[in-house]
Amino acid sequence: MKDRILIIGSCGQIGTELTIALRKQHGAENVIASDIHAPQPGSGNDIQLDVLDHEQIEKIVKECGITQIYLLAAMLSANGEQNSDAAWKLNVQSLLSVLKIAKEQKLDKIFWPSSIAVFGPDSPRYNCPQQTRIEPNTVYGISKRTGEYWCSYYFEKHGVDVRSLRFPGLISYTAPPGGGTTDYAVDIFHQALEKQAYTCFLEEDTCLPMMYMPDAIRATLELMNTPKEKIHIRTSYNLAGMSFAPCDLAAAIRKYIPELKMTYRPDSRQAIANGWPASIRDDQARKEWGWNPEYNLKSMTADMLQKLSKIKGMTIPETISQQGDFPDFPIDNHIFAKAH
Ligand code: AKB
């Protein structure tokens, strides 16, 4: 039997690119993309769907013969702190709804993203492992940690094959992120190209785990294509790509745009970032389903600048085309230098 996929939140940062990847893998006719926003020409979603409308999801699942759901709708960390009730409802109720439907309709597989935000100030700051003290101190982190427990519960008690990844901050050039603490790592590219200046809302040495979107999409597909018996973590897998601070990213961009001027004006998002690890370990993902990230700070920066300048119809700054590959610098060592 063919997989029939429902994506919920297809116009978001992950959804925009995952929809394209899933359509490539399963055929466009087998992937239904839904979002809270009504479909517009070129938006990529097929239907308007409110993730909090349980009946509507159930109806689509039954009518379209859905076998897998990718639930991507969520409120991120910074917005979550401003709207705690709405964040809790959106992040937890939507998951419970989908898990219940998966159980009742005997769906094959569910994907639900968790986040490095499940970790808190008492978790190890460097090389944070899969199992450790996990005591989040943000609404978003608490909702993701709660969701992880629900995933594990539905797998253990009801056999629902739900799989999950703890994503780091995601960097992409298509859809922008919205309301997260790691958003600066996307904004900076736009501002660097347009104004050669960026005011960062985190301090210059706040190191956080990050990942380039092509790696995040590949990780999702690889996890979902792994045979069930190889998946041993039913809460959510730690997933690492790279770790850097705003000053590292600025240095990487300056290799192409030397005139980039940085100003640091930390706001309430600084406190959120201070509670998260600077780097995480992802041994289980590597061992159990062969995870291996492709992009580091250097290759991600080069690709982002090339793709974004093309999208913006800008002449690629001289320095990009002339520079080629820039010399190595202590990208992923930044934090370790600080730690030891
Ligand atoms: C956020 O900043 O809230 C997200 C995340 C780390 O999950 N990007």
Side-chain angles (χ1 to χ4, degrees):
M1 199 180 76
K2 280 215 157 160
D3 295 321
R4 296 272 295 159
I5 293 170
L6 174 64
I7 303 170
I8 302 177
S10 63
C11 295
Q13 196 194 11
I14 302 175
T16 303
E17 299 196 34
L18 190 58
T19 301
I20 295 168
L22 286 170
R23 283 185 171 147
K24 240 184 226 160
Q25 189 177 299
H26 297 272
E29 67 286 3
N30 293 312
V31 177
I32 297 173
S34 73
D35 198 89
I36 188 77
H37 302 291
Q40 304 288 334
S43 66
N45 63 321
D46 306 303
I47 50 173
Q48 185 169 26
L49 172 67
D50 177 358
V51 70
L52 297 176
D53 187 342
H54 182 89
E55 278 72 38
Q56 204 199 345
I57 303 176
E58 199 170 34
K59 188 165 171 272
I60 293 167
V61 166
K62 285 183 186 164
E63 281 176 3
C64 302
I66 296 298
T67 61
Q68 298 185 16
I69 298 180
Y70 288 70
L71 170 57
L72 309 173
M75 192 182 294
L76 298 185
S77 56
N79 280 355
E81 290 307 288
Q82 309 301 323
N83 309 280
S84 54
D85 291 350
W88 181 257
K89 196 168 163 190
L90 178 62
N91 295 356
V92 181
Q93 194 172 308
S94 62
L95 176 63
L96 282 172
S97 199
V98 165
L99 289 173
K100 197 160 171 241
I101 291 170
K103 173 192 156 202
E104 287 168 1
Q105 302 303 321
K106 302 194 175 8
L107 301 190
D108 288 346
K109 281 182 232 173
I110 304 295
F111 178 78
W112 175 79
S114 184
S115 161
I116 53 106
V118 295
F119 297 111
D122 295 327
S123 308
R125 182 144 176 70
Y126 300 98
N127 291 324
C128 185
Q130 177 76 35
Q131 310 287 4
T132 182
R133 278 183 78 157
I134 303 183
E135 296 171 12
N137 66 351
T138 61
V139 176
Y140 175 64
I142 298 168
S143 72
K144 287 294 179 187
R145 185 57 175 152
T146 306
E148 291 186 355
Y149 283 131
W150 277 117
C151 290
S152 168
Y153 179 87
Y154 265 78
F155 174 74
E156 295 295 338
K157 300 276 178 198
H158 304 299
V160 173
D161 186 359
V162 49
R163 304 175 182 197
S164 177
L165 297 170
R166 287 176 181 157
F167 282 128
L170 296 177
I171 301 162
S172 62
Y173 54 85
T174 50
T181 302
T182 57
D183 293 9
Y184 88 84
V186 177
D187 298 341
I188 190 174
F189 283 99
H190 292 269
Q191 301 301 322
L193 281 166
E194 286 167 17
K195 299 186 183 147
Q196 296 80 55
Y198 182 63
T199 301
C200 185
F201 57 75
L202 296 182
E203 280 161 6
E204 63 177 335
D205 59 353
T206 305
C207 194
L208 291 170
M210 299 279 185
M211 179 171 281
Y212 196 30
M213 191 59 87
D215 270 343
I217 299 299
R218 188 167 54 80
T220 306
L221 298 183
E222 286 178 6
L223 174 70
M224 292 302 275
N225 291 333
T226 297
K228 198 172 170 179
E229 57 285 2
K230 289 196 171 172
I231 309 280
H232 296 294
I233 292 183
R234 288 296 178 169
T235 49
S236 188
Y237 281 94
N238 272 17
L239 191 74
M242 59 190 99
S243 274
F244 58 77
C247 63
D248 299 320
L249 182 53
I253 294 174
R254 278 196 193 107
K255 300 282 176 188
Y256 297 88
I257 306 175
E259 56 277 45
L260 172 64
K261 187 178 172 318
M262 292 292 290
T263 311
Y264 295 94
R265 210 171 289 147
D267 65 17
S268 59
R269 289 168 278 194
Q270 184 65 47
I272 300 177
N274 288 347
W276 291 350
S279 61
I280 61 170
R281 294 187 67 92
D282 58 2
D283 311 41
Q284 271 92 342
R286 289 168 185 265
K287 208 169 75 200
E288 292 178 16
W289 45 276
W291 169 243
N292 199 9
E294 200 179 302
Y295 287 90
N296 59 20
L297 176 56
K298 179 172 146 179
S299 50
M300 176 275 292
T301 303
D303 202 59
M304 274 293 282
L305 286 172
Q306 271 152 19
K307 299 274 169 39
L308 262 188
S309 52
K310 210 178 242 172
I311 289 169
K312 289 176 188 294
M314 297 171 67
T315 352
I316 296 174
E318 291 277 288
T319 37
I320 292 184
S321 45
Q322 282 174 13
Q323 187 92 25
D325 207 16
F326 57 75
D328 271 337
F329 64 100
I331 36 173
D332 299 324
N333 296 337
H334 172 92
I335 51 167
F336 303 108
K338 292 220 153 206
H340 303 294

